[in-house]
Amino acid sequence: MKNLVLLGAPGSGKGTQSAKLVAEKGYTHISTGNLLRAEIAKESELGIKVKEVMESGQLVSDDLVVELLKANLDLDNSAYIFDGYPRNIEQAKTLNSILEGYPSLAVYFELDTDKLVERLTNRRVTKDGKHIYNLVTNPPKVSGVCDVSGEPLVQRDDDKEEVVRSRMEVFENTINPVLDLYESKGKLVRLQADQSMDKVFSDLVSKIN
Ligand code: AMP
């Protein structure tokens, strides 16, 4: 099994599909957003540094993110899904140096902006970000409670509409060179992310096999 990169705007379904790949295909999921939020929850030095930037929807500095990423990787023993990293061309190059080559595949989740905003403002998650719901399309059985862990569900601060718009803008301004790089190496596949969760998953599995 090889390392995969999932690319796509916030709300395009990378986290949801990652959870399914972990459960059914044995990948290890690494989300830089989840790692950063865990630092904020711990009130670590790093967490305190990044809190404001994250709440405004801007990107945290590349150096801080890569240190955190490296500290949480065990490349000898796992095949990873990289979710939320790389976000810009510098990070894509850094990832190549960490992996000592290109990831085996980068999957780009395509969806238009209005749908993304609707998805994100209806998104509710557990505090660690591992369980993801949508109030309209995938609600929990009991309102406000995770079906799997029983934890309360919360709305991420950066899923509020005003922040969502700036996150989209940041994404659109930084991702194209990353797509071009992977495309030029024949590593990019595109996925139509505006379909049911199960259909996206079956398309994803057929592309990575
Ligand atoms: P996500 O959970 O992937 O939507 O990320 C939430 C927020 O964490 C982003 O809006 C950024 O502030 C920060 N973040 C996550 N991943 C990265 C990254 N690779 N580089 C810089 N900032 C990041």
Side-chain angles (χ1 to χ4, degrees):
M1 229 162 39
K2 305 280 174 51
N3 297 302
L4 297 178
V5 164
L6 302 190
L7 302 169
S12 58
K14 306 182 301 294
T16 301
Q17 297 298 331
S18 294
K20 286 168 81 70
L21 282 179
V22 168
E24 295 183 30
K25 301 284 171 189
Y27 281 93
T28 302
H29 177 222
I30 192 153
S31 150
T32 45
N34 286 353
L35 293 175
L36 289 164
R37 279 184 290 278
E39 293 298 313
I40 293 177
K42 278 195 279 183
E43 297 184 349
S44 68
E45 202 180 314
L46 172 64
I48 292 165
K49 250 190 223 164
V50 301
K51 189 169 190 286
E52 226 174 275
V53 178
M54 282 182 70
E55 284 175 358
S56 71
Q58 300 302 304
L59 293 184
V60 170
S61 87
D62 291 350
D63 293 349
L64 293 180
V65 179
V66 78
E67 284 318 310
L68 189 62
L69 181 71
K70 281 186 187 161
N72 285 277
L73 278 182
D74 175 13
L75 287 165
D76 291 334
N77 294 308
S78 291
Y80 282 97
I81 303 167
F82 292 91
D83 166 4
Y85 193 97
R87 283 257 211 314
N88 57 35
I89 190 72
E90 291 74 24
Q91 293 185 1
K93 290 178 182 164
T94 303
L95 184 62
N96 282 352
S97 71
I98 295 172
L99 298 177
E100 298 175 356
Y102 278 84
S104 44
L105 199 65
V107 183
Y108 179 38
F109 286 52
E110 293 187 298
L111 195 74
D112 58 64
T113 308
D114 286 345
K115 296 249 169 61
L116 290 166
V117 172
E118 194 184 311
R119 273 195 188 182
L120 285 174
T121 49
N122 284 310
R123 178 160 77 173
R124 297 294 181 273
V125 295
T126 49
K127 214 168 163 209
D128 62 9
K130 292 208 169 121
H131 302 286
I132 305 169
Y133 297 83
N134 180 290
L135 295 180
V136 180
T137 56
N138 180 31
K141 293 193 180 86
V142 177
S143 166
V145 180
C146 176
D147 297 349
V148 182
S149 67
E151 292 165 85
L153 297 175
V154 294
Q155 181 175 36
R156 282 172 40 178
D157 286 329
D158 62 356
D159 278 349
K160 306 207 162 119
E161 185 156 353
E162 56 290 4
V163 186
V164 163
R165 298 265 173 206
S166 13
R167 290 167 66 204
M168 294 300 162
E169 222 177 283
V170 168
F171 176 77
E172 281 158 15
N173 289 338
T174 59
I175 205 64
N176 283 334
V178 179
L179 298 175
D180 292 346
L181 178 70
Y182 290 137
E183 190 139 55
S184 71
K185 299 289 170 189
K187 296 287 180 187
L188 187 75
V189 295
R190 292 167 193 271
L191 187 71
Q192 180 46 261
D194 182 19
Q195 307 181 84
S196 73
M197 241 162 57
D198 289 345
K199 179 70 170 71
V200 173
F201 187 64
S202 61
D203 284 1
L204 177 59
V205 169
S206 74
K207 286 177 196 292
I208 65 181
N209 279 334

